[in-house]
Amino acid sequence: MDSFSAKNRDTIIEQMSKSSFDVLIIGGGITGAGIALDATTRGLKVALIEMQDFASGTSGRSTKLIHGGLRYLKQLEFKLVAEVGKEREIIHHIAPHLTKPEHMLLPIVQNGSLGKFSARIGMWFYEWLAGVKKSELHKILSVEETLDAEPLLRKDNLLGGIVFYEYRTDDARLTIEVLKEAVSRGALAINYTKAIEFIYTNEKIVGVKVIDQLTNKAYEIKASYVINATGPWVDDIDDLEKKHEAHKLHITKGVHIVIDAKKLPIKQSVYFDTHDKRMIFIIPRDEKTYIGTTDTFYEGDLVSPKITTDDKNYLLKCVNDYFPSAKLSLTDIESGWAGLRPLINKPGKGPSEISRKDEVFIFDSGLIMIAGGKLTGYRKMAQRVVDIVAKKYASHEKINLADCTTDKIQLSGGKIDSKLGFSSFIKSKTTQGLTLGLSITESEKLISRYGSNIDELYTIIEKLKEERSELPITLRAQLIYAIEKEMCVTPSDFFIRRTALLYFDIAIVKKYKAELSLYIKNILLWNDELKSKWDDELEKIIADLGLDI
């Protein structure tokens, strides 16, 4: 049985309800996925549930960078910078298909938050803390060199620039690849499953009552330890205990917008000061460019935070200040996303001042909760949580678990010979794609998305050659793979978290959404009511982008 196939949900549910686990993780974002992999590789029996789709919260709505957190030096977060800087290189090694090195230009401007000298000192200190390798050390640019690197920059206040490296990623796919690796090693994971009640024995949590949101059937999952890794929802899960604990989080909202690359044809990513002393990224990706992020306190719906006109205007103003010739307007926005940051509550601090550090809480009931943190630091966050579980096993059960080894485990899709290198791997597999009738661009996009799993996609494409469909063969192959290997259930799962097409090629989504929905219905044997539900969900997500300006 394929343990991560949407076709096998009933079997997975049966296994979860009839088994007893060492660890049950609530939350299918990057933190929960990381905990599942770490715990499984240490020999624990692990289950994970997610009330929506995997990576549907914060983990699929970030700036999509594996980065060292240069800006956290301003907050004197030295330990955080050092940790995530080193983690950046580890993630690049274990998931080479999802970590693309990117030149990042930091313009130095008059009255900016960084002068030329302070920026250089800060960059040296950052690279020393983060352990940046020699080939990726920064370079100082003159005004002329900065304008040569980025001719569209505003010129009248420019003092120079710095070029450094960060790694661009696909945050949702990284989460899913971590989960796939955990499942391949024995973990069970399921989406659309909501925790509704804790189960107690002698005032200690021994399991969770859950409800399958596709069938509305409730069942129980028993576990020795329950971990709350639900990001913005940690306080909601905490509230299930009804102990009236003070809420641990301050939620802030971050918005990104997407435009066609032709509207702002920059040569590389840019990281720059804003008029209100924050920092903004502009990042090219394929034929699009995305811009973000905002940082504002948030108290609305956690499931579907909206992009407001104020959010859009703020980002457009920031970009137009630095790139006045672009003259971007609301009508240039093609797509975007709003994500929520689950930050540790620090009264009296502004949104951008609150630390991005994670924190672990252990309750009298035995519940373990982790909150805060960054995408790049997911593996160390997971290690800290599983270390706590390991200490409990050593103390209570006299069982010594193995140490964390996830820094050496190549993730699903990342199993590429380091001697060969990812560039050579792409070249080899692109040639293979051409023999299947794919274009170079089609092949390269698939390889970058699926890495060492590309052969499975190619096998599906070969089988589909004789099938007649309105859907392009690459879209059908990815959909079949997503359903059978990545527990994709709905069109939104596919267009957002499995492929990011809703963000970076929304025209494809609009063109093929009806045919794709019908294709899924035939595979998963939906009834008409369920099809209408998922179709309406996707339509609402598109409408909430507010693009009909």
Side-chain angles (χ1 to χ4, degrees):
M1 182 194 80
D2 194 320
S3 297
F4 210 45
S5 170
K7 293 178 177 179
N8 295 328
R9 284 183 62 89
D10 290 345
T11 303
I12 296 166
I13 288 170
E14 184 178 12
Q15 289 180 322
M16 283 189 164
S17 63
K18 291 184 176 180
S19 301
S20 183
F21 297 89
D22 298 316
V23 172
L24 169 61
I25 301 152
I26 308 173
I30 190 63
T31 306
I35 294 168
L37 178 57
D38 193 323
T40 301
T41 55
R42 297 202 211 188
L44 296 175
K45 189 174 182 181
V46 174
L48 178 146
I49 60 171
E50 164 58 46
M51 74 169 184
Q52 303 178 86
D53 185 26
F54 307 114
S56 57
T58 305
S59 298
R61 307 186 195 193
S62 73
T63 306
K64 307 186 188 302
L65 288 175
I66 300 297
H67 67 119
L70 175 62
R71 78 180 184 88
Y72 304 126
L73 278 182
K74 294 165 69 175
Q75 299 173 336
L76 307 181
E77 298 272 16
F78 302 133
K79 186 177 179 181
L80 178 64
V81 172
E83 180 172 287
V84 298
K86 292 178 175 65
E87 284 300 298
R88 186 178 69 160
E89 185 59 31
I90 291 171
I91 298 171
H92 182 46
H93 173 69
I94 63 178
H97 61 308
L98 293 177
T99 45
K100 181 183 178 183
E102 286 277 345
H103 278 110
M104 192 75 66
L105 174 65
L106 173 63
I108 307 299
V109 298
Q110 293 173 7
N111 301 317
S113 62
L114 291 173
K116 212 169 185 179
F117 178 74
S118 62
R120 189 164 195 171
I121 295 296
M123 190 62 71
W124 277 336
F125 189 40
Y126 161 73
E127 290 173 342
W128 174 71
L129 280 174
V132 175
K133 57 189 177 185
K134 190 174 181 180
S135 62
E136 295 182 0
L137 294 175
H138 75 278
K139 181 182 178 182
I140 301 292
L141 304 181
S142 66
V143 172
E144 292 75 18
E145 289 171 324
T146 304
L147 287 172
D148 185 56
E150 202 48 76
L152 296 178
L153 272 170
R154 177 179 167 182
K155 301 173 178 61
D156 62 340
N157 65 345
L158 189 64
L159 301 175
I162 296 177
V163 172
F164 61 104
Y165 275 90
E166 296 288 20
Y167 291 94
R168 197 187 75 209
T169 192
D170 184 322
D171 48 6
R173 285 215 59 82
L174 178 63
T175 302
I176 289 163
E177 298 288 30
V178 175
L179 266 176
K180 285 161 68 179
E181 189 62 33
V183 169
S184 75
R185 292 169 179 265
L188 289 180
I190 194 164
N191 49 7
Y192 297 102
T193 301
K194 184 176 182 178
I196 56 174
E197 188 180 328
F198 288 124
I199 303 166
Y200 295 87
T201 295
N202 299 324
E203 298 186 343
K204 295 291 185 181
I205 293 175
V206 295
V208 178
K209 185 177 181 180
V210 305
I211 187 164
D212 175 14
Q213 302 207 92
L214 302 187
T215 63
N216 289 321
K217 292 179 181 177
Y219 61 99
E220 294 182 352
I221 305 174
K222 301 291 180 63
S224 299
Y225 296 98
V226 175
I227 298 168
N228 176 3
T230 53
W233 288 269
V234 295
D235 285 329
D236 290 359
I237 297 298
D238 184 16
D239 287 346
L240 292 179
E241 281 217 79
K242 300 179 174 62
K243 297 288 181 67
H244 306 293
E245 296 274 357
H247 281 189
K248 308 296 188 296
L249 294 187
H250 235 137
I251 303 295
T252 70
K253 184 179 78 168
V255 165
H256 295 76
I257 56 175
V258 180
I259 61 173
D260 192 284
K262 294 175 184 175
K263 298 288 185 178
L264 185 61
I266 55 176
K267 293 184 175 182
Q268 71 271 295
S269 298
V270 182
Y271 184 47
F272 63 96
D273 279 302
T274 63
H275 55 275
D276 54 351
K277 306 303 179 185
R278 295 185 58 255
M279 302 295 288
I280 292 284
F281 289 98
I282 306 177
I283 302 174
R285 174 168 167 165
D286 299 327
E287 294 81 35
K288 307 299 176 184
T289 296
Y290 65 98
I291 302 158
T293 178
T294 62
D295 199 0
T296 54
F297 285 129
Y298 183 78
E299 295 181 348
D301 175 27
L302 298 182
V303 173
S304 303
K306 304 293 190 297
I307 303 174
T308 67
T309 301
D310 285 346
D311 293 327
K312 297 173 187 176
N313 283 329
Y314 171 84
L315 292 172
L316 292 172
K317 173 177 169 49
C318 291
V319 176
N320 286 331
D321 282 349
Y322 268 73
F323 298 89
S325 64
K327 298 178 181 175
L328 297 178
S329 67
L330 290 171
T331 56
D332 292 318
I333 299 172
E334 294 187 359
S335 188
W337 61 92
L340 302 178
R341 305 179 188 90
L343 306 179
I344 304 300
N345 194 358
K346 300 292 181 184
K349 289 196 172 186
S352 297
E353 298 173 309
I354 300 176
S355 172
R356 269 54 177 172
K357 288 190 295 187
D358 58 278
E359 195 166 336
V360 179
F361 303 86
I362 304 173
F363 298 89
D364 292 341
S365 63
L367 179 69
I368 301 169
M369 181 179 93
I370 183 164
K374 289 172 52 60
L375 177 71
T376 310
Y378 85 87
R379 200 192 61 79
K380 293 297 288 186
M381 291 165 64
Q383 180 181 339
R384 282 189 278 275
V385 171
V386 182
D387 281 348
I388 290 170
V389 175
K391 287 178 182 177
K392 289 181 178 292
Y393 266 97
S395 173
H396 302 153
E397 313 290 338
K398 307 304 179 187
I399 296 173
N400 294 317
L401 300 181
D403 291 335
C404 175
T405 59
T406 55
D407 59 328
K408 300 177 182 68
I409 295 172
Q410 288 181 300
L411 300 179
S412 170
K415 302 180 192 303
I416 295 161
D417 187 347
S418 58
K419 294 178 183 177
L420 174 67
F422 191 57
S423 295
S424 297
F425 178 81
I426 288 179
K427 187 175 180 180
S428 168
K429 293 300 177 181
T430 298
T431 301
Q432 191 176 339
L434 293 175
T435 66
L436 291 171
L438 304 181
S439 69
I440 292 175
T441 299
E442 286 174 328
S443 298
E444 288 179 345
K445 283 186 177 181
L446 289 176
I447 298 161
S448 295
R449 184 170 292 151
Y450 299 102
S452 58
N453 293 321
I454 186 62
D455 288 339
E456 295 186 63
L457 270 295
Y458 283 169
T459 298
I460 296 170
I461 289 171
E462 184 68 48
K463 290 178 180 177
L464 290 175
K465 278 186 173 181
E466 302 306 317
E467 181 184 82
R468 300 183 65 178
S469 172
E470 295 295 319
L471 289 174
I473 193 168
T474 54
L475 214 56
R476 278 179 282 149
Q478 289 179 88
L479 180 58
I480 290 169
Y481 180 82
I483 290 170
E484 295 183 349
K485 303 293 184 179
E486 298 180 340
M487 203 171 281
C488 173
V489 175
T490 76
S492 299
D493 295 346
F494 179 75
F495 281 131
I496 301 174
R497 276 135 342 237
R498 304 306 182 279
T499 62
L501 287 170
L502 184 129
Y503 299 145
F504 300 110
D505 199 344
I506 197 167
I508 288 287
V509 178
K510 292 178 177 179
K511 182 175 181 179
Y512 293 113
K513 60 186 178 181
E515 187 67 29
L516 183 129
S517 174
L518 186 60
Y519 205 89
I520 302 179
K521 177 189 176 184
N522 292 334
I523 293 175
L524 294 181
L525 305 178
W526 291 344
N527 57 36
D528 290 339
E529 182 181 357
L530 204 53
K531 181 180 181 300
S532 294
K533 176 183 177 180
W534 300 133
D535 289 348
D536 291 346
E537 176 190 65
L538 180 60
E539 292 297 341
K540 183 177 184 301
I541 290 168
I542 294 172
D544 283 347
L545 293 174
L547 300 177
D548 52 340
I549 301 164

